[in-house]
Amino acid sequence: MKKALICGISGQDGSYLAKFLLDRGYEICGTSRDAQMSSFRNLVRLGIRDRVKLESMTLTDFRSVLQVLDKAQPYEVYNLGGQSSVGLSFNQPVETLDSIATGTLNLLEAIRFIGAPIKLYNAGSSECFGDTGGEAADENTPFRPRSPYGVAKAAAFWEVANYREAYGLFACSGILYNHESPLRPERFVTQKIVAAACRIAQGSPERLYLGNTSIQRDWGWAPEYIQGMYRILQQDAAEDYIIATGKTYKLQDFVVSVFEYLGLNWQDHVTTDESLYRPTDISISRGNPSKAKDKMGWEAQYDMHDVARMMVDARMNSEPTPA
């Protein structure tokens, strides 16, 4: 039986990944900063809370990382921990850089120190690329991040590449574009939109306040992006891959899709609030997932409109979503 350690198991990606790996016969150990106090509500929602072992681990504390790795003795490690919000990173830049860049470095160094043949997946991000002038970024596109979050993810990416080249570690980064699901908290704009629209459809008189809705993003469905993560570690050689749909839509298109699906005119309920604009933002984000398709056979099956509908259905029906 393969063992996997998932750092940040309580989040959207960690929870879906745990379910995916459990269904494939893995033994799962998951970490959070305080496993005794965390509710792990996403694991509960997916019905797998009692099927995983949970450990407290602080990614910024090397000793903590080393102790958990030694105890779990995993075959695969998935680094999904760290501060996960682009918007919040402008308010918490030090915490963001520390939790992502230092946390990743501690994992890499601990794996090197232990000397076991552990495969490491690192959660990269499309935010590393910044603005690409509307061109679809591939694995060779230079990084020009425009947020503290993007800077931190870029640093972690190069740490992984360095340890792979210098020490021969099987360490890879999956450069994932925006991927959503009902497990997203409402601090993420897609879930904020879905939650407000559903309440309005049920009679709430509220208005939805949004920032810049002209930004364009490459949105995918989180449960199938998890499969891309898994496949990256099943390859013969350690390489980095972009996981994306290759299709880009405006945030306004997502808003329209959600409200129309609920039989509402979005313009009657949405207000632009310039105080919600970020200090710097990416105008157009688009990924080129050709390498993932050609080398791993991974290809997105759902686009933004599918994601919007599935998130609305889950919110209105309060039912678990397909993984």
Side-chain angles (χ1 to χ4, degrees):
M1 179 181 292
K2 287 186 176 181
K3 295 182 180 180
L5 176 67
I6 302 176
C7 306
I9 197 171
S10 62
Q12 167 190 266
D13 291 3
S15 299
Y16 279 126
L17 179 62
K19 184 178 187 305
F20 180 85
L21 294 177
L22 284 169
D23 291 344
R24 279 148 189 81
Y26 276 68
E27 181 180 325
I28 302 298
C29 178
T31 74
S32 72
R33 276 181 280 192
D34 191 342
Q36 302 303 314
M37 296 298 292
S38 180
S39 67
F40 296 104
R41 60 181 178 273
N42 285 337
L43 299 180
V44 173
R45 182 170 181 176
L46 295 178
I48 59 172
R49 170 64 177 80
D50 297 329
R51 297 175 61 195
V52 301
K53 297 177 181 178
L54 298 166
E55 297 284 350
S56 296
M57 185 177 80
T58 303
L59 277 170
T60 53
D61 180 352
F62 179 75
R63 182 178 179 182
S64 173
V65 173
L66 192 60
Q67 287 176 332
V68 172
L69 274 176
D70 185 58
K71 182 177 181 179
Q73 296 189 347
Y75 176 73
E76 297 171 358
V77 174
Y78 293 85
N79 177 26
L80 312 179
Q83 201 288 102
S84 60
S85 169
V86 176
L88 187 59
S89 75
F90 286 99
N91 296 322
Q92 298 181 1
V94 176
E95 157 68 12
T96 300
L97 186 65
D98 200 29
S99 66
I100 294 173
T102 303
T104 301
L105 183 59
N106 282 339
L107 269 174
L108 289 161
E109 183 62 12
I111 291 172
R112 186 181 77 87
F113 181 83
I114 289 173
I118 297 171
K119 293 184 175 183
L120 173 68
Y121 170 87
N122 174 59
S125 172
S126 60
E127 289 289 324
C128 294
F129 294 120
D131 266 315
T132 58
E135 295 296 321
D138 63 23
E139 290 78 5
N140 296 313
T141 300
F143 288 168
R144 293 183 63 86
R146 291 175 58 81
S147 67
Y149 176 84
V151 170
K153 284 294 186 180
F157 174 92
W158 289 117
E159 290 167 357
V160 169
N162 178 251
Y163 270 72
R164 182 172 63 228
E165 295 168 4
Y167 304 115
L169 266 60
F170 196 107
C172 317
S173 290
I175 306 174
L176 272 60
Y177 277 70
N178 296 63
H179 49 292
E180 314 299 329
S181 80
L183 299 189
R184 277 291 197 211
E186 284 191 36
R187 71 173 181 270
F188 287 84
V189 69
T190 50
Q191 188 70 298
K192 175 183 176 179
I193 293 165
V194 169
C198 288
R199 290 193 298 265
I200 291 169
Q202 293 171 326
S204 172
E206 70 188 271
R207 293 195 67 80
L208 171 60
Y209 292 89
L210 297 173
N212 184 2
T213 59
S214 67
I215 60 166
Q216 299 182 39
R217 295 292 183 267
D218 186 330
W219 278 292
W221 182 235
E224 68 176 356
Y225 278 40
I226 298 310
Q227 299 174 32
M229 296 180 183
Y230 170 75
R231 292 192 192 187
I232 287 173
L233 288 196
Q234 311 316 308
Q235 303 306 301
D236 293 333
E239 297 183 40
D240 306 316
Y241 291 84
I242 282 178
I243 302 296
T245 69
K247 300 177 182 178
T248 299
Y249 297 90
K250 291 182 179 179
L251 180 59
Q252 181 177 308
D253 296 329
F254 187 90
V255 175
V256 172
S257 189
V258 167
F259 277 82
E260 283 188 349
Y261 189 54
L262 289 164
L264 301 169
N265 181 353
W266 72 279
Q267 292 175 311
D268 294 335
H269 307 284
V270 178
T271 299
T272 298
D273 182 353
E274 292 190 2
S275 71
L276 297 175
Y277 281 44
R278 293 172 180 168
T280 54
D281 210 340
I282 299 171
S283 299
I284 304 173
S285 180
R286 180 179 294 119
N288 178 356
S290 297
K291 181 180 176 181
K293 181 180 179 181
D294 295 342
K295 287 200 168 188
M296 302 194 302
W298 183 91
E299 186 176 15
Q301 301 302 310
Y302 300 108
D303 67 7
M304 180 275 289
H305 298 292
D306 300 315
V307 172
R309 289 191 291 267
M310 289 188 288
M311 289 181 70
V312 168
D313 286 341
R315 188 86 184 190
M316 296 298 280
N317 300 327
S318 297
E319 296 176 350
T321 54

